[in-house]
Amino acid sequence: MVEIEIDGKKVEVQEGSMVMDAANKIGTYIPHFCYHKKLSIAANCRMCLVEVEKAPKPLPACATPVTNGMIVRSNSDKAVKAQKSVMEFLLINHPLDCPICDQGGECQLQDLAVGYGPSASRYEEEKRVVVPKDAGPLISMREMARCIHCTRCVRFGQEVAGVMEFGMLNRGEHSEITTFVGNSVDSELSGNMIDLCPVGALTSKPFRYSARTWELSRRRSVSPHDGLGSNLIVQVKNGKVMRVLPLENEAVNECWLSDKDRFSYEGLYSADRLTVPMIKQDGKWLETDWQTALEYVAHGLRNIRHEHGADAIAALAAPYSTLEELSLLQKLVRGLGSDNIDFRLRQSDFSLDGQVTPWLGMSIDEFGQAQRAFVIGSFLRKDHPLLAARLRHAAKRGSKISILNATDDELLLPIANRMIKAPSEWLSALSEVVVAIASAKGIAAPAGYDGIEPGEVAKGIAASLLSGERKAVVLGNAAAQHPQASQLHAAAQWIAQHTDAKFGYLTEAANTVGGYIANAVPGKGANAAQMFAQPRKAYVVMHAEPEYDCYDPQAARAALQQAEMVVVMSPYKHGTDYADVLLPIAPFAETAGTYINCEGRAQGFNGAVKPLGETRPAWKVLRVLGNLLDIGGFAYDTSEQIRLEILGAKVSEVADLSSKLNNVVNAQPQAAKPGEATQLERIADVPIYFTDAIVRRAESLQLTADAKAPKAWLSAILAEQLGVADGAQIRVMQGQGSAVLPVAVDAALPANVVRVSAAHPDTIALGGMFGAISVEKA
């Protein structure tokens, strides 16, 4: 440690750190633009000049290493004079458009110009003009003349997002920040560049000119999308969500947000928001009041129980429903005598039911610190953008990342070992790794593993996991949805146990962990797949759109269309062809609730705005239904009471629920040998902006490159066999349905794999997310 003095205060800091770090430690503010604690040092704005004793001239605090006994003055005459000179240069070309600038009121340049800027400019020549640019649907670059070339956006792209989408052209007064020729900014983390911009050069396109920052009130919330549970600041004007920003939480999302979390709020005000209860009579939809609608539902459910027995009733919820909603839904269904309740809509193998409550198996911070990681079956970058950013950061520090997947997507991080295998080969690939670890450690492989020969990549993964300190073996969304998920789990668990690695799941949705805590899973009843395979007479569907959110949309649709009663509880009007009642329930921004993220952290939030129209929070709707059906234990006045009942304490007291979660099963891993690829099989990713009902309706996100219509990705070998090239049309058939899609050739795909995205209007006619598929020229 080194001791230095800043403005008369002594402080001890790590050797090699900068004067700025020491100043931050004691709370001394040094003006700056280009410095950011999460980015590398650029030292190009020079605003942080300070006086250092014995130095001939002022030095930049962000790039001056500390030395023992150093004396620094941040606001001496010499320092302030230097800072004011820098400010004068920065303002020479800056346009005088604060009154119409979107950044006005939260602009670093504006704030510092008050303290360090002159009242009049000595510069009388023409100001420079920078041509506006188009960077895509999320970031506005209409006023690049405001840019002060701090290069934060450039460094963010290179260092955090992993892809350099902005760069600086030219020199001197001709310098400008721009995208590559003709390219838009397509990173799934691009919105953070708007937050990082200290002036009004990069602004939010969806929010542009819609409100002034001082008109907005701020509410804390939690993201309802991926399993990370990013903390949000929801900004509200006139009872409407206008903008979403990150709430800094070092343990969860640091100071970043994915674009999905940031811009999905547009989906809250989609044209198909349902705002009044509706009942279908004689094939026509009629608006009604809550009393009539709920009595109709209660009467219908009683009739079906009376005529067909309680087992004819089933309930499905989306995994981003809150803990309280899931808890009351399962209580309602079980109060009716049925045990058919599930939220794991995209899962296909339920053999581990009752044995595991999947979670990350470590804290998010531990995951980001892993020196060795083995990621199995995950479209990591699009499924978990901020967890991928943490791994990217770890890889920069020397961590070795290995992957097993069916596609070799660009993860924007160095991969030490990659196994790209057809989904049906994943188990045999893990079997090779098991044997490689056993032989490297000189122990016996589990029974049944004789005759398996590990390949070079499997040996590489084994060697990687047997070296290093902190290690993680994690299963992604595709592994959890895989038809052999339980066997993949057993093999991955064995690998983790014998390499002293932490073992867990990169959980799919905001409340995947919470669904288990709320007990919204069947005990003896039917799981999500069985509810459709053996159709029921009544379905209660909460927050989910079964044709988009289920493993097999064909089976889901067929089951719902034959049912006598389908109750759709949703913020949106959908399912009108099979539903009988539509009940408008509040999305995350309009209700209070709790989400439990992948690391078992319970995070409570309140509604940011009042529910739209006649919309009601789902827990209130379920509470009234419980009372109408005379089921006991539904006397709740607030969502806190429900939370207290489930968790046994306030959220603040039991923020960490990892002790209630378990990834370990008592099962022997099953060996599998590589088979002959006899038929084509499907691998389905869920595109990042189609994962749930809210995101699917966010207009700006639907204009991005990631939301383009899906293609049928074929291997080069298969494309040659079919005689098709990029852009040709082919017919993809699965089960009873087919889809005509444009071809894209991916040289890295296994020969017998066809990649077709799920959860998209173009592909919902197809069957399960895995399994046999056939293709022909269209």
Side-chain angles (χ1 to χ4, degrees), residues 298-339:
H299 180 71
L301 291 174
R302 271 206 198 93
N303 274 2
I304 281 165
R305 180 176 62 178
H306 178 67
E307 287 171 27
H308 305 283
D311 192 48
I313 298 170
L316 296 149
Y320 66 93
S321 311
T322 65
L323 186 68
E324 294 79 356
E325 291 164 0
L326 289 168
S327 177
L328 291 197
L329 184 65
Q330 63 88 19
K331 210 169 173 181
L332 182 85
V333 172
R334 292 194 163 109
L336 285 165
S338 168
D339 196 30

Side-chain angles (χ1 to χ4, degrees), residues 421-668:
K421 303 268 187 183
S424 58
E425 298 290 308
W426 287 2
L427 191 58
S428 66
L430 289 182
S431 302
E432 285 183 37
V433 179
V434 167
V435 172
I437 288 169
S439 69
K441 286 184 78 174
I443 57 172
Y449 278 78
D450 330 324
I452 289 177
E453 235 358 273
E456 286 310 308
V457 187
K459 288 177 184 165
I461 293 173
S464 169
L465 286 172
L466 288 166
S467 63
E469 287 294 309
R470 302 177 293 274
K471 293 171 274 196
V473 175
V474 287
L475 296 163
N477 296 357
Q481 293 153 358
H482 197 284
Q484 293 174 302
S486 52
Q487 289 161 290
L488 295 177
H489 178 112
Q493 181 183 310
W494 189 94
I495 291 167
Q497 282 169 346
H498 288 82
T499 55
D500 300 320
K502 298 271 177 88
F503 169 60
Y505 282 82
L506 300 170
T507 58
E508 182 188 5
N511 211 20
T512 301
V513 176
Y516 288 92
I517 300 274
N519 194 25
V521 285
K524 304 256 187 304
N527 57 48
Q530 289 164 343
M531 286 182 215
F532 295 135
Q534 295 105 39
R536 311 283 147 167
K537 294 294 177 193
Y539 290 93
V540 180
V541 180
M542 181 169 77
H543 280 299
E545 297 182 89
E547 56 271 47
Y548 292 102
D549 294 334
C550 290
Y551 176 80
D552 184 345
Q554 276 178 16
R557 225 183 153 75
L560 291 163
Q561 278 173 330
Q562 64 74 49
E564 285 179 24
M565 183 175 200
V566 177
V567 181
V568 170
M569 298 173 65
S570 170
Y572 302 103
K573 190 173 176 178
H574 66 83
T576 47
D577 51 340
Y578 53 73
D580 299 280
V581 193
L582 298 176
L583 302 179
I585 56 171
F588 81 104
E590 299 170 12
T591 182
T594 310
Y595 287 137
I596 301 173
N597 74 352
C598 58
E599 62 175 356
R601 178 189 295 259
Q603 303 188 102
F605 57 92
N606 290 316
V609 289
K610 283 198 174 85
L612 205 61
E614 288 293 303
T615 304
R616 295 286 178 270
W619 69 266
K620 287 188 176 179
V621 176
L622 291 164
R623 181 200 62 193
V624 176
L625 265 177
N627 295 337
L628 286 174
L629 288 161
D630 303 323
I631 301 168
F634 271 83
Y636 304 105
D637 295 324
T638 62
S639 63
E640 279 80 15
Q641 292 174 332
I642 310 170
R643 189 184 306 162
L644 207 61
E645 186 178 284
I646 308 165
L647 302 179
K650 290 181 182 152
V651 164
S652 53
E653 291 163 20
V654 286
D656 180 14
L657 295 167
S658 56
S659 56
K660 294 187 175 186
L661 306 169
N662 162 51
N663 289 322
V664 181
V665 293
N666 187 10
Q668 273 299 312

